[in-house]
Amino acid sequence: MAKGYDANQEHLAEINRLGKELAKRAGFCCEWCESKQELRPWDHAPDLEPELATLALLCGRCRDLASGAAADPNELHTLRNALWSDIPAVAEGVALVLVRSRQPWVREAIEESLIEENAKARLLVLC
């Protein structure tokens, strides 16, 4: 049990170490919706070693959405711009939220996005 705890603490410490660089990259606003409220790092790939490509700076609302909270369909349109990010945690993370919404426009938005082709194919299967 201690090993798991220690590994988790090391993982969190690495995320914190990247925090300043992440905040600068994000322009000190949410990388999904551009809010400046309750910003914290979000780990798109928690099973991997943290790196800037797997982290996104998200506001509280977007972290809730990433965790599976329901979204108003109108709210989702504001997140669509994040699909154009070249950062996997930003584009792929928001794509997962959009896919869960089952909105008819999501498939086309993902097809047009800058998401890497293999990841895009995995996402499109979920649409």
Side-chain angles (χ1 to χ4, degrees):
M1 183 113 166
K3 185 176 182 180
Y5 175 82
D6 291 341
N8 185 55
Q9 291 303 306
E10 289 174 21
H11 190 85
L12 293 174
E14 184 61 19
I15 290 172
N16 286 334
R17 187 185 69 72
L18 295 168
K20 285 183 182 178
E21 196 172 347
L22 177 63
K24 286 179 186 176
R25 177 189 81 194
F28 301 94
C29 61
C30 178
E31 292 184 281
W32 287 6
C33 74
E34 300 183 359
S35 170
K36 295 183 183 262
Q37 305 299 312
E38 301 177 49
L39 298 174
R40 294 200 193 2
W42 173 72
D43 194 352
H44 173 60
D47 295 336
L48 302 176
E49 191 69 28
E51 58 179 288
L52 287 173
T54 64
L55 299 173
L57 188 65
L58 300 182
C59 67
R61 177 62 183 147
C62 288
R63 285 193 314 278
D64 288 346
L65 292 172
S67 297
D72 179 304
N74 293 324
E75 177 182 27
L76 295 173
H77 282 284
T78 64
L79 301 180
R80 184 179 185 158
N81 290 339
L83 288 173
W84 294 97
S85 174
D86 61 351
I87 301 159
V90 176
E92 293 173 25
V94 82
L96 286 170
V97 169
L98 296 175
V99 164
R100 282 196 309 260
S101 76
R102 301 282 185 219
Q103 293 296 306
W105 55 267
V106 169
R107 181 176 193 79
E108 183 178 345
I110 292 172
E111 287 172 345
E112 295 172 354
S113 74
L114 297 178
I115 296 173
E116 186 271 325
E117 291 303 318
N118 288 334
K120 190 182 290 188
R122 286 191 304 274
L123 288 162
L124 291 172
V125 166
L126 302 172
C127 286

